[in-house]
């Protein structure tokens, strides 16, 4: 979950940089340090945004929910391609 306290400041900082026109990234796009070697790209989806993209690409959503384990969570969407 990229909306935890640990990452929330990175999301806010990236959004402010975007507002100032200093970044080519979209809102909710961030880079997270990975293995002290490089940065890993993330787009911080909301469940609503993910469902919209799935429907917009001709899938039927069968089930969708957010899981929560300790401090993290995942978005789960089960869908099938429309004919």
């Amino acid at each position: 979950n990229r909306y935890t306290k640990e990452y929330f400041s990175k999301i806010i900082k990236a959004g402010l940089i975007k507002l100032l026109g200093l970044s080519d990234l979209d809102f909710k796009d961030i880079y997270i340090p990975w293995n002290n070697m490089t940065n890993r790209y993330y787009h911080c989806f909301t469940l609503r945004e993910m469902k919209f993209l799935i429907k917009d690409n001709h899938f039927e959503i069968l089930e969708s929910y957010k899981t929560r384990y300790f401090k993290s969570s995942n978005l789960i969407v089960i869908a099938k391609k429309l004919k």
Side-chain angles (χ1 to χ4, degrees):
N1 182 6
R2 299 297 162 221
Y3 291 103
T4 60
K5 191 176 189 180
E6 181 182 358
Y7 296 106
F8 192 71
S9 63
K10 293 181 185 302
I11 295 169
I12 297 298
K13 181 180 176 183
L16 290 173
I17 291 171
K18 174 70 175 173
L19 283 173
L20 295 172
L22 303 174
S23 174
D24 291 332
L25 297 177
D26 285 333
F27 291 102
K28 296 188 278 176
D29 288 351
I30 58 174
Y31 285 105
I32 302 293
W34 185 62
N35 284 346
N36 296 322
M37 297 171 51
T38 188
N39 288 320
R40 183 183 291 183
Y41 169 83
Y42 282 98
H43 179 78
C44 300
F45 284 98
T46 62
L47 186 56
R48 181 178 177 183
E49 179 182 15
M50 187 177 286
K51 288 166 74 173
F52 172 79
L53 288 172
I54 291 168
K55 287 178 183 179
D56 195 45
N57 285 284
H58 312 290
F59 283 83
E60 175 188 356
I61 295 176
L62 304 174
E63 189 176 352
S64 64
Y65 54 94
K66 188 184 293 188
T67 63
R68 294 192 187 274
Y69 299 102
F70 302 103
K71 290 184 178 181
S72 67
S73 66
N74 291 300
L75 302 177
I76 308 295
V77 177
I78 300 170
K80 72 176 185 177
K81 182 75 172 166
L82 297 173
K83 293 182 180 186

